[in-house]
């Protein structure tokens, strides 16, 4: 039997270990926000990986957005050097999970196994992927102890809130510099036979319209900022949304509905602030002097960030030309450029061969509609040879009764193991 077959068997034989590891990770409720139990999950991973011969480092993202003494942003980076010089393959998983939400029929932090699936918040996004990468690495080291290069496994904070206390911080500290790491695989839940090459860009902005406060019984003495915002919304309906629908991309974004430019209005707020739920009084009669809208524009690799911004500024100038007393401001909240790794990149080629070997079919190449930590590895780390590949069904992420299939985890661990064999043997 050759080493590839032995490795496939070894990973399959570790199925019970994979299940237990996933359950243990789910049972640490690393909710973000606020960012709880990061230290506990890092300590847990530390104990496990040290036992398997990894050198580990726990890094707190001191001073990063979100980091505080109450909720410190802890990260772990583990490294196992091989017997000979070679390249480094890095598996990066985020350790945080989003809020539970309503509608669960299973314990969100129980890690229950029902019909071949493990349930819990973070099961698919992405503790199942983290567990699969650990099992793949441990099995590979057992079968090929004299491998070349190095394997790194990181567990990082805050991906769900932008990754600034996690991958961005580590990238700034040089953990993803191309001299140190040559291949990065992020086991996000993109389905076991798909290779995710990157993601669309993001531009978040807040538009504020200004008015003048007055008594609500005499609105003609003031100027209603909410009506001004209404004019912005109707201009968006008339000209912007139809124009965005026509901007198509060659990026293989899934789902297909996201294969175009999109804009979401995240929120609109005008006038008096909302009161606490226990407030029993009535609102006061005032003409709103301010209205704020947060927009979430997702853009394509074919689009330029300056054009994306100019589109909104142009729309607002157009409203101003046709409307008396229309005054506004635009504030940028966040920008992330689109990223897409070439299909010819070594890590893509290697994972594609592994998918074909394990599953007997070619992988599907996809791009994510939303961003994930690849943005920091690309922009700060300057490392282009990076993809997302992992078990779990994308649409289950952040939903009630989130689960990950055990067979899927085993198969994706086999793909990860074969990738290590391909790049490091
Ligand atoms: Zn995720």
């Amino acid at each position: 039997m050759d080493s590839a077959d032995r490795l496939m068997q070894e990973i399959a034989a570790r199925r019970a270990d994979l299940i237990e590891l996933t359950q243990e990770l789910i049972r640490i409720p690393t909710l973000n926000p606020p960012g709880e139990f990061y230290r506990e999950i890092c300590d847990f991973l530390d104990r496990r990986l040290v036992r398997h011969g990894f050198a580990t480092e726990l890094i707190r993202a001191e001073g990063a957005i979100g980091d505080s003494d109450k909720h410190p942003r802890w990260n772990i980076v583990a490294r196992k050097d091989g017997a000979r010089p070679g390249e480094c393959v890095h598996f990066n998983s985020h350790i945080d999970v989003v809020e539970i939400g309503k509608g669960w029929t299973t314990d969100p932090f129980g890690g229950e196994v029902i019909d071949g699936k493990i349930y819990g918040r973070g099961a698919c996004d992405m503790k199942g992927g983290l567990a699969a990468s650990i099992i793949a690495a441990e099995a590979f080291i057992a079968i090929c102890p004299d491998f070349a290069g190095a394997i790194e496994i990181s567990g990082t904070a805050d991906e769900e809130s932008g990754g600034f206390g996690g991958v961005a911080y580590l990238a700034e500290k040089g953990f993803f510099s191309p001299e140190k790491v040559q291949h990065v695989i992020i086991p996000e839940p993109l389905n076991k036979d798909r290779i995710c090459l990157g993601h669309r860009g993001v531009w978040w902005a807040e538009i504020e319209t200004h008015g003048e406060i007055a008594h609500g019984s005499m609105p003609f003495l003031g100027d209603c900022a909410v009506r001004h915002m209404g004019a912005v919304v109707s201009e968006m309906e008339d000209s912007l949304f139809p124009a965005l629908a026509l901007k198509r991309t060659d990026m293989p974004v899934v789902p297909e509905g996201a294969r175009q430019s999109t804009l979401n209005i995240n929120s609109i707020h005008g006038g008096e602030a909302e009161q606490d739920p226990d407030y029993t009084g009535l609102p006061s009669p005032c003409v709103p002097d301010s209205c704020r809208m947060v927009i979430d524009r997702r853009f394509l690799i074919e689009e330029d960030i300056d054009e994306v911004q100019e589109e909104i500024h142009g729309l607002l100038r157009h409203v101003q030309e046709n409307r008396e007393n229309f005054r506004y401001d635009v504030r940028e909240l966040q920008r992330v450029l689109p990223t897409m790794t070439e299909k010819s990149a070594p890590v893509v080629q290697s994972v594609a061969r592994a998918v074909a070997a394990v599953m007997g079919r070619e992988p599907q190449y996809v791009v994510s509609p939303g961003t994930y930590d690849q943005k920091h590895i690309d922009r700060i780390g300057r490392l282009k040879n990076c993809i997302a590949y992992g078990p779990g069904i994308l649409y289950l992420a952040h939903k009630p009764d989130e689960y990950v299939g055990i067979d899927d985890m085993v198969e994706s661990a086999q793909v990860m193991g074969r990738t290590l064999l391909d790049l490091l043997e």
Side-chain angles (χ1 to χ4, degrees), residues 94 96 125-126 159-160 188-189 372 398:
H94 65 82
D96 57 325
D125 186 12
M126 58 178 288
E159 190 276 340
E160 299 290 2
E188 286 273 13
Y372 52 95
H398 302 197

Side-chain angles (χ1 to χ4, degrees), residues 59-238:
I59 304 116
R60 177 176 165 185
E62 247 168 296
I65 307 172
D67 179 69
S68 68
D69 286 338
K70 191 170 175 213
H71 295 296
R73 272 38 199 170
W74 283 101
N75 298 275
I76 182 169
V77 180
R79 182 178 173 100
K80 170 79 181 167
D81 279 295
R84 297 169 280 134
E87 299 189 316
C88 173
V89 179
H90 183 117
F91 292 99
N92 165 253
S93 297
H94 65 82
I95 51 180
D96 57 325
V97 300
V98 296
E99 63 175 300
I100 304 164
K102 294 189 174 73
W104 285 77
T105 62
T106 53
D107 176 357
F109 298 114
E112 279 171 76
V113 176
I114 306 164
D115 289 337
K117 300 171 183 135
I118 307 176
Y119 285 82
R121 177 52 86 222
C124 97
D125 186 12
M126 58 178 288
K127 289 173 172 175
L130 170 58
S133 68
I134 291 172
I135 294 294
E138 290 172 353
F140 171 73
I141 293 164
I143 297 294
C144 302
D146 60 346
F147 70 93
I151 303 168
E152 288 187 349
I153 293 175
S154 60
T156 51
D158 283 5
E159 190 276 340
E160 299 290 2
S161 54
F164 299 101
V167 170
Y169 186 87
L170 295 182
E172 270 155 24
K173 299 286 171 199
F175 279 90
F176 291 97
S177 66
E179 308 84 67
K180 197 170 170 293
V181 176
Q182 284 74 45
H183 310 270
V184 178
I185 297 170
I186 303 176
E188 286 273 13
L190 270 308
N191 300 12
K192 63 181 176 183
D193 55 357
R194 284 175 173 177
I195 296 175
C196 181
L197 303 170
H199 52 70
R200 297 189 301 173
V202 180
W203 188 61
W204 278 6
E206 184 183 77
I207 300 168
E208 181 172 8
T209 52
H210 302 287
E212 197 187 328
I213 194 163
H215 197 287
S217 66
M218 298 169 285
F220 47 87
L221 295 180
D223 183 19
C224 180
V226 172
R227 289 181 62 188
H228 287 309
M229 191 60 88
V232 175
V233 174
S234 66
E235 184 60 36
M236 284 178 167
E237 294 290 355
D238 290 347

Side-chain angles (χ1 to χ4, degrees), residues 197-198 339-345 347-348 374 384-387:
L197 303 170
T339 181
M340 190 161 72
T341 302
E342 296 285 330
K343 266 194 210 170
S344 57
V347 72
V348 179
Q374 187 167 338
K384 302 280 176 204
N385 192 31
C386 174
I387 56 161

Side-chain angles (χ1 to χ4, degrees), residues 233-297:
V233 174
S234 66
E235 184 60 36
M236 284 178 167
E237 294 290 355
D238 290 347
S239 65
L240 184 62
F241 288 112
L244 294 183
L246 295 175
K247 291 190 192 186
R248 310 288 302 175
T249 182
D250 287 334
M251 298 174 101
V253 188
V254 285
E256 267 199 60
R259 225 166 265 190
Q260 61 164 63
S261 300
T262 57
L263 182 133
N264 183 51
I265 298 173
N266 283 13
S267 64
I268 292 187
H269 187 86
E272 195 176 289
E274 281 190 55
Q275 303 298 331
D276 290 336
D278 58 355
Y279 176 76
T280 57
L282 295 170
S284 62
C286 287
V287 176
D289 60 358
S290 160
C291 186
R292 286 171 290 117
M293 172 199 285
V294 174
I295 55 168
D296 176 352
R297 172 74 159 84

